[in-house]
Structure formats: structure tokens, C-alpha cells
Amino acid sequence: MAQTPAAAPTAAQLDAVKSSVRKLLHQPDYDDGSAGPVLVRLAWHAAGTYCAETNTGGSNGAGMRYEAEGGDPANAGLQHARAFLEPVKAAHPWITYADLWTLAAVTAIEEMGGPAIHWAGDRTDFTDESKVPPRGRLPDGAQGAEHLRFIFYRMGFSDQEIVALSGAHNLGRCHGDRSGFEGKWVNNPTRFSNQYFKLLLANDWKKKTLESGVEQFVFVDEDLAAEGEEEGGEKAAELMMLPTDMSLLSDKAFRPWVERYAQDKDLFFEHFAKVFAKLLELGIKRDANGNVVNEENVEEGYKS
Ligand code: ZEM
């Protein structure tokens, strides 16, 4: 049986969930002090399995609760995001995990200074592993533009949308024990901005091979390095880019969007809000009232 709450939630119930999410964002002992970035990544990886051709994967189901999806090496570290949200789920048991994960991401982005993002609910949770999408559908940061198109065209995104979505790397960091890559893209990784695009263009990124053999691109901010010398300054001042991030610079169709988003924060916010809302709707089919239509990849929904 699907988890079927008795009725569609009221606006007040949704506000209560958002308020609970806001309260847990401040995490002084975790990473850069915020649960926000990893919550955003959780929603992205939940949705980013979508395949338009087969209409499989997508933000419905919350399949990462199961080993088949949650244990995918591509999802390493996202158990922290799920654990942060457990008390919210306990306090608001009516909401499905699939709705909670996506709502938490838009709440976090807004709270970190980003744009308001349209969100609609009514997602349902899988009750077993049978509908979990196959592994291997998420992007590999070690690759380039061709790979990005292969992955994101499968979901139905355009070149412009790929660049806008990549701007999420304003947030958070890479963890050696999760992805193999190390470090953050921007100096203030808990503040949503277009800094990622500015840094991509402004700096002379140099290839660096980590001890593990993983290759990424780095830039050392000399001023910050001098300031922080006593506390191991060089590392604190080092920013990074993935090979896929660098491909946005070298690709003829991607680069103009990097330039526009670097110059125009408002345009980036507008485009990001639109494309992130689209991401969260992948795999969700709605009727004229906005209610989810039950399909193969969907459990029975709210009874409204
Ligand atoms: Zn990310 N991402 N991502 N991304 N991502 C990481 C971290 C974060 C790629 C990727 O390989 C990686 C999008 C697109 C792409 C976030 C959001 C979004 C990390 C580091 C890697 C390796 C993971 C770790 O070690 O913890 C690739 C190749 C992408 C293709 C373009 C999109 C789209 C995103 C949202 C819209 C966020 C917020 C993080 C930071 C997570 C954290 O824990 O701090």
C-alpha cells in the first residue's frame, strides 16, 4: 500500500514544514555551518535520475531511502541530508519524503539568499525498491561538455538550462570521502549568488592532481592566503572547479551563458528559479488542478 495521507495539505501546514526546515539549517558543527547545500544536492539527485524517453526516475518516490538508490556511490553523503530532515518528517508525518526533500531544497535556497522558487506538492513515496531508477544516470564531474549534454538532454534540459543549473555550485563543497573531489567553489558557500560564474571567468584555473589521483582545477586567492597564513592559509584560500564546471568555459554554446550570468545576477536568479522548479517537477504529471496523475512511476496520491 502506498502512504496515503487523508487530505491535501493546507498552506498553514506547508508553512509549518518550511519553518521547521529553516530552523535546522544552522548547523555549526557541520561543514560550513549550514545544512542548506547538502539539502539542495539531495533534491537534485532525487530528481536528476529522470529519463524523458522512458518516463522513469525523477523527484517522485524518494527512492534514496532504499539501498538500490541510496547506496549508489553517486549519492554518497546524502544520508546526512536525509538525517537532517528526519525530525521534520517526525514533526509533520503527513508530508511524504519526496515532497519534503524537494520543499526543503527550495526553502534552503531562499533562506541562503537565493530566489523564491515555485514548488508544488503531491509527490508520493515508493513502498519498495521495484520502481527505483537504475544507477548511472547522474553526471560525472570528471567528464566534459559532451557528457553534460548526454545527461541533461535525457532529462529534457537545454544548453542554457544546463549552465543555469550548474550555478548551484555557488553552494557547498566537495568532500574527498564522498566524491573524491576536494574543496569549495566560492568563498562563501552558504550564500546563494552568481559568484561561481564570476570566479570561473576571472581566474586562471590550474589543473591539480590530488593524492588519490583525482584531477580537478584550483585557484589560490593570494590575498586570502596571506591573511590566513597562521591557520594553514593556503588551503582555506584555495577554490576549486570540477572538469565539468570548466567545460562551461570551453564550450561555445555554454560560455555565453556563463558570461551573462556572471554579469547579471538578476537574470541568473530568474533563470535558476525557473529551471530548478522544472527539475523538481521531473517525472511528475499533473492534471488541470495541479494534482498528480497516477502513473506507472507514481504511488496512489493524496485524496483531495
Ligand atoms: Zn553538484 N556536485 N554536480 N549540482 N552539487 C557536488 C556538490 C554539489 C556535479 C557534481 O559532480 C558534484 C548540480 C550539477 C552537478 C550541488 C548541486 C547541484 C559534488 C561534490 C560533485 C562531485 C559532492 C561531495 O563530494 O560532497 C556535476 C558533474 C554536475 C553537472 C552539471 C546541479 C544541477 C545541482 C543543483 C541544482 C550542491 C548544492 C553541492 C554541494 C553539496 C554539499 O554537500 O555541500
Side-chain angles (χ1 to χ4, degrees), residues 42 71 139 153 268 298:
L42 176 67
Y153 285 5
F268 168 56
V298 174

Side-chain angles (χ1 to χ4, degrees), residues 130-183:
S130 62
K131 292 172 183 139
V132 163
R135 293 183 179 186
R137 288 187 173 183
L138 293 162
D140 171 5
Q143 301 206 43
E146 195 185 337
H147 172 71
L148 288 184
R149 290 201 171 89
F150 173 75
I151 295 287
F152 285 89
Y153 285 5
R154 186 203 68 223
M155 294 181 235
F157 289 116
S158 68
D159 288 352
Q160 172 262 316
E161 289 174 319
I162 292 171
V163 180
L165 278 170
S166 296
H169 285 168
N170 272 286
L171 299 174
R173 56 168 58 244
C174 297
H175 307 74
D177 59 339
R178 300 183 189 176
S179 62
F181 299 101
E182 291 269 12

Side-chain angles (χ1 to χ4, degrees), residues 71-119:
D72 183 344
N75 289 326
L78 295 179
Q79 71 276 10
H80 295 287
R82 296 195 293 279
F84 282 133
L85 292 176
E86 274 306 316
V88 184
K89 172 71 175 167
H92 310 276
W94 60 267
I95 197 168
T96 59
Y97 282 100
D99 272 353
L100 176 58
W101 294 355
T102 49
L103 184 61
V106 308
T107 307
I109 289 169
E110 210 174 318
E111 197 65 11
M112 291 187 285
I117 295 167
H118 173 77
W119 178 90

